[in-house]
Amino acid sequence: MFRLFLILCVFASSETKATGCNETMLSITDWSAGQAGEEHVEITLDVQSHAKKQIRMLKAVAYFYDALDVPLGAIPIGPDATIPAGGRYYEQLTWPAGENLKRLLHLRKQDVKTATCVKAVLYEDGSKETF
């Protein structure tokens, strides 16, 4: 049930970047997409943290756009990601392939832009931030 809710929330927000978020705490340094059955895409993300403290949990989304700024889709990052301060995090997931997200399989990497939105973060020291 939670996964269905998360899927609906992410796709509802995939048309435009969300407001009220930190867009600089995380960045996507690399990504890849591959076919995972007829209805799914396997996506790998290499995420760089720009946080000054270690992250132990976060509510964040990665966005994909083509070179003409047409939204391709959005996928969650985490939520139980442990990312050292200034460190990297690698995530691999299989995601339902909407028509736009399937374009990741065929577009040149240089024709795809990424962005991130961090809504909330729990640091290793127990402190929290929401945006």
Side-chain angles (χ1 to χ4, degrees):
M1 184 65 146
F2 177 73
R3 181 149 174 96
L4 176 61
F5 174 75
L6 185 60
I7 289 169
L8 293 174
C9 289
V10 168
F11 279 108
S13 67
S14 68
E15 288 302 311
T16 59
K17 280 197 258 181
T19 58
C21 66
N22 184 315
E23 297 177 353
T24 61
M25 183 176 289
L26 300 176
S27 59
I28 307 299
T29 58
D30 196 16
W31 64 272
S32 65
Q35 190 74 44
E38 295 211 13
E39 301 298 321
H40 292 83
V41 175
E42 182 177 88
I43 298 175
T44 58
L45 298 175
D46 190 356
V47 179
Q48 175 72 49
S49 170
H50 304 287
K52 300 209 185 285
K53 298 190 256 184
Q54 179 166 311
I55 296 170
R56 97 170 166 219
M57 189 181 300
L58 70 146
K59 181 178 178 184
V61 177
Y63 294 94
F64 295 90
Y65 299 90
D66 72 12
L68 299 175
D69 293 324
V70 174
L72 300 173
I75 58 171
I77 301 171
D80 298 321
T82 299
I83 311 173
R88 294 180 102 124
Y89 171 72
Y90 177 81
E91 181 152 26
Q92 180 176 7
L93 50 87
T94 301
W95 203 250
E99 200 56 40
N100 285 343
L101 200 57
K102 279 186 181 179
R103 289 183 63 207
L104 287 176
L105 300 171
H106 309 289
L107 289 173
R108 294 180 187 179
K109 235 178 180 175
Q110 65 264 31
D111 292 336
V112 176
K113 296 185 263 183
T114 61
T116 60
C117 171
V118 177
K119 294 285 230 174
V121 62
L122 172 65
Y123 296 105
E124 189 59 41
D125 66 5
S127 61
K128 299 176 192 176
E129 279 189 282
T130 56
F131 306 98

